[in-house]
Amino acid sequence: MPDLSKPYDVLVAGGGNAALCAAITARQHGASVLLVEHAPRAMRGGNSRHTRNLRAMHEAPMDVLTESYAEEEYWDDLKRVTGGNTDEHLARMTIRASSGVFGWMKQAGVQFQPSLTGTLNLSRTNAFFLGGGKALVNAYYLTAERIGVDILYDSEVVALPMRDGVVRQVEITHKGFPATIAARCVVAACGGFQANLDWMRQYWGDAVDNFVIRGTPFNRGRLLRNLLDQKVASVGDPTQCHAVALDARAPKFDGGITTRLDSVPYSIVVNRDAERFYDEGEDVWPKRYAIWGRLIAQQPGQIAYSVCDAKSVPLFMPSVYPAVVADNLGELAEKLGLDPVKLRATVARYNQAVRPGKFDNTKLDGSATEGLDPPKTNWARSIDTPPFTGYPLRPGITFTYLGVRVSERAQVLLEDGRPAANLYASGEIMAGNILGRGYLAGFGMTIGTVFGRIAGEEAARHARN
Ligand SMILES: Cc1cc2nc3c(=O)[nH]c(=O)nc-3n(C[C@H](O)[C@H](O)[C@H](O)COP(=O)(O)OP(=O)(O)OC[C@H]3O[C@@H](n4cnc5c(N)ncnc54)[C@H](O)[C@@H]3O)c2cc1C
C-alpha cells in the first residue's frame, strides 16, 4: 500500500491504457507517480483490456503493419467517420505521432502479432496486440511497477477541488473510505461515463435498463462530472454514445468483444412484434454496424432478433453464446419468445419480395427486395433452408462522447479558454476533441497512447518546475 501522506509529483486518475502510458512516461521523466485505479487489481485496465489493436500511420511496410497508411488517408478516414466533428490540428498531430509509438510500446513490454497477410484489410491500418488488450495492460502494469510507479487499486478519484485553475488536492475513496492526497499535477485518464446508468438515464430514460455496457463497470464519470461542475470546458455531445448490436444474453457489464454479433447483413432483424424495422443490407457491415445499437434502442423493450437460415450461418462470426436453432420457423419463433404466426408471416412477405440476384457477400451485391417496406437493399436471399437460426440482440454501449477540452499539450482547458495550471487529460475522457462522432477502429487506443505520453511528459516537467 503506497504511503498516501507523502506528496506526489504526478497523480494519474485511471488504470487503463491512457493512464498507464501517462504514468510510465511521467516516471521515465523523473517524477514520483501514483496511479489511482478505481477497479480492484483483478479487474484493472478498464476498457483497454478488451481491445485488440491500434491504428497507426506508416509510410512503408513494417513488422506489424503491411503496405503504407499515409497521413492524408488516415485524416480522410477520420473526417468521414466524424462528419467533420473533429479538431484538425489535434487530429493531425495524433495521426503523425501514431507512427512513432511502436518503439516506446515495445520497450514498455507490449508485444504485437506479426502483420497479417490475406484479405483482412485491417492489417494495413491496425497493429494487433499479441494476447490482446489484457496482455498489453498487464505488460504496462509490470513496467510501471518495475520503474517505481506506486499503484493504488480499489480507489476512486471523486474530486479535484480547483481554485484559479489550480488543482489543490485530490480527494479519493479507498475501499469506500475517504482520503486526501497531495499531488503537484494530475492526469485525468479515467474513461467515459457509460457505466453510470443514472447519468445515461437522463438522456435515454428507462431504456438504459435494457442496455448492455460492453466494458468495465468502473467508468462512471465521477471525476468528469466533478470537473465539468468546476467550469472545465466540455467537448462532445453528452446525449450520444457509440452503440452496437450485441447478443442479448451478454452480461450487463464487461462482456467484451465476444458478445458482438455480425449476423445482421445476412439475416432479417425483427422486433419483439416480429416486424422488420430497418434495411439490414444498407452497407457493408463495418460501415453500418454502429447504427444498430441505436436502432435496437428505439424498438419496444430495446430487443430485436436476427433471423437467418442455414445458407447464411457460415458468413458471419458467431457470438460466444450458442445460436438458437430450429427445424422450422414456428419452432424458432417459440424458442426466441416471438409469435410464430407473425414471424412466419414476416418471413413469407420478405421471401416474396426478394428479387433474383447474384448473391456475393464480398461486396454490395445489389441483391434486393422489391415493394417491401423497409427494403433490404443488398444480400437479400430467401430464408428457406433449415435449420433456421436466431439470435436475440440488445444495444451494446462501447463509450460516451462527452469529455473535457484539451490543448495540444494535453492541458485541460477551462470554460474561459485558459488551461488549468496543473491538470492534464488523456484517453477516452478527452477523445471527443478528436473523435466528436462516429468511430474509427483502433483510434481509441491511438488517442490514449499519444495523449497519455504527452500528458505524462508535460505533467512531469511541470511538477519539476
Ligand atoms: C469491447 C471493446 C473493444 C474495444 N476494442 C478496441 C480496439 O480494438 N482498439 C481501440 O482502439 N479501441 C477499442 N475499444 C475502445 C477502447 O477501449 C478505448 O478507446 C480505450 O480503452 C480508452 O482507454 P482509456 O484508458 O481512456 O479508458 P479505459 O481503458 O476504459 O480506462 C479507464 C480507467 O479509469 C478507471 N476509472 C474510472 N473512473 C475512475 C475514477 N474516478 N478514479 C480512478 N479510476 C477511475 C477505470 O477503472 C479504468 O481503469 C474497445 C472498447 C470496447 C468496450
Side-chain angles (χ1 to χ4, degrees):
M1 165 93 184
D3 175 6
L4 301 186
S5 65
K6 73 172 190 196
Y8 281 89
D9 290 334
V10 178
L11 182 144
V12 179
N17 174 60
L20 287 158
C21 290
I24 293 170
T25 307
R27 184 77 196 107
Q28 286 170 336
H29 283 78
S32 60
V33 181
L34 177 68
L35 180 141
V36 182
E37 159 65 306
H38 189 186
R41 191 177 187 283
M43 292 182 75
R44 67 186 183 184
N47 287 353
S48 301
R49 70 205 209 287
H50 291 302
T51 65
R52 293 175 300 165
N53 58 55
L54 163 150
R55 181 173 289 250
M57 170 187 139
H58 56 112
E59 302 289 355
M62 26 188 316
D63 53 347
V64 295
L65 288 160
T66 60
E67 300 173 47
S68 68
Y69 187 45
E71 178 180 339
E72 281 316 304
E73 187 185 354
Y74 201 147
W75 165 241
D76 281 347
D77 286 345
L78 183 63
K79 245 187 341 195
R80 185 173 34 77
V81 298
T82 58
N85 200 335
T86 176
D87 176 318
E88 181 166 357
H89 176 64
L90 293 183
R92 283 190 183 272
M93 198 192 88
T94 307
I95 289 169
R96 278 184 221 123
S98 72
S99 66
V101 295
F102 293 108
W104 183 86
M105 291 177 75
K106 286 177 187 170
Q107 254 183 14
V110 177
Q111 296 186 50
F112 290 89
Q113 291 179 23
S115 59
L116 302 162
T117 51
T119 53
L120 195 69
N121 63 9
L122 277 182
S123 65
R124 188 170 71 81
T125 54
N126 291 38
F128 282 73
F129 317 129
L130 188 68
K134 181 92 176 171
L136 171 138
V137 158
N138 284 343
Y140 279 154
Y141 271 103
L142 261 180
T143 298
E145 282 166 3
R146 185 171 49 74
I147 64 175
V149 172
D150 287 345
I151 297 170
L152 192 64
Y153 294 109
D154 269 318
S155 302
E156 185 179 21
V157 176
V158 294
L160 298 176
M162 290 167 80
R163 198 158 6 106
D164 300 329
V166 181
V167 174
R168 299 287 160 179
Q169 61 186 38
V170 182
E171 292 175 7
I172 69 161
T173 57
H174 173 60
K175 297 190 172 165
F177 291 96
T180 300
I181 306 173
R184 293 188 180 89
C185 288
V186 176
V187 178
C190 41
F193 69 88
Q194 63 281 352
N196 184 335
L197 298 183
D198 288 336
W199 193 346
M200 296 283 283
R201 199 180 300 277
Q202 289 176 23
Y203 312 119
W204 294 91
D206 290 340
V208 295
D209 293 328
N210 293 321
F211 288 3
V212 175
I213 311 303
R214 303 175 68 200
T216 177
F218 294 97
N219 284 0
R220 296 184 199 149
R222 185 95 182 250
L223 181 54
L224 175 62
R225 181 75 275 156
N226 173 258
L227 294 177
L228 298 181
D229 287 347
Q230 295 188 80
K231 300 206 179 311
V232 158
S234 70
V235 73
D237 185 341
T239 67
Q240 297 303 311
C241 54
H242 182 270
V244 304
L246 279 199
D247 193 309
R249 296 162 292 181
K252 184 76 177 170
F253 294 100
D254 246 351
I257 199 77
T258 55
T259 60
R260 198 179 87 189
L261 256 173
D262 297 343
S263 56
V264 171
Y266 309 121
S267 67
I268 60 165
V269 179
V270 299
N271 60 19
R272 73 178 180 197
D273 301 322
E275 284 166 3
R276 291 178 60 249
F277 51 89
Y278 200 81
D279 178 359
E280 302 88 348
E282 187 177 55
D283 207 338
V284 288
W285 188 232
K287 284 198 188 157
R288 274 288 158 260
Y289 91 104
I291 68 167
W292 278 87
R294 182 170 307 269
L295 288 169
I296 297 166
Q298 288 159 352
Q299 294 307 306
Q302 294 73 48
I303 184 107
Y305 303 86
S306 170
V307 172
C308 64
D309 68 4
K311 301 195 292 295
S312 291
V313 170
L315 301 178
F316 58 86
M317 192 139 70
S319 94
V320 70
Y321 296 96
V324 178
V325 181
D327 288 333
N328 62 67
L329 283 167
E331 191 190 329
L332 183 73
E334 269 167 23
K335 284 185 172 176
L336 290 172
L338 294 170
D339 181 331
V341 177
K342 281 189 178 167
L343 182 66
R344 274 200 303 262
T346 296
V347 173
R349 262 197 312 279
Y350 164 78
N351 284 349
Q352 275 164 18
V354 171
R355 289 294 158 259
K358 193 163 173 358
F359 180 87
D360 184 348
N361 67 315
T362 64
K363 60 175 192 189
L364 293 172
D365 70 352
S367 300
T369 57
E370 196 176 278
L372 190 68
D373 185 26
K376 183 169 181 185
T377 50
N378 288 289
W379 311 297
R381 286 193 295 188
S382 290
I383 296 176
D384 55 13
T385 311
F388 298 94
T389 289
Y391 286 98
L393 307 174
R394 290 261 187 226
I397 314 302
T398 321
F399 54 81
T400 44
Y401 288 99
L402 179 68
V404 297
R405 201 170 277 283
V406 292
S407 72
E408 63 177 27
R409 290 167 58 201
Q411 298 159 298
V412 171
L413 300 178
L414 306 174
E415 279 177 357
D416 63 14
R418 282 180 306 143
N422 58 347
L423 178 59
Y424 302 83
S426 63
E428 207 72 72
I429 195 170
M430 49 63 63
N433 288 268
I434 303 171
L435 195 71
R437 212 178 77 192
Y439 189 59
L440 195 56
F443 201 40
M445 292 297 277
T446 308
I447 295 173
T449 307
V450 169
F451 269 85
R453 290 178 63 205
I454 296 172
E457 187 176 340
E458 291 288 332
R461 182 177 304 135
H462 186 275
R464 272 207 314 272
N465 294 336

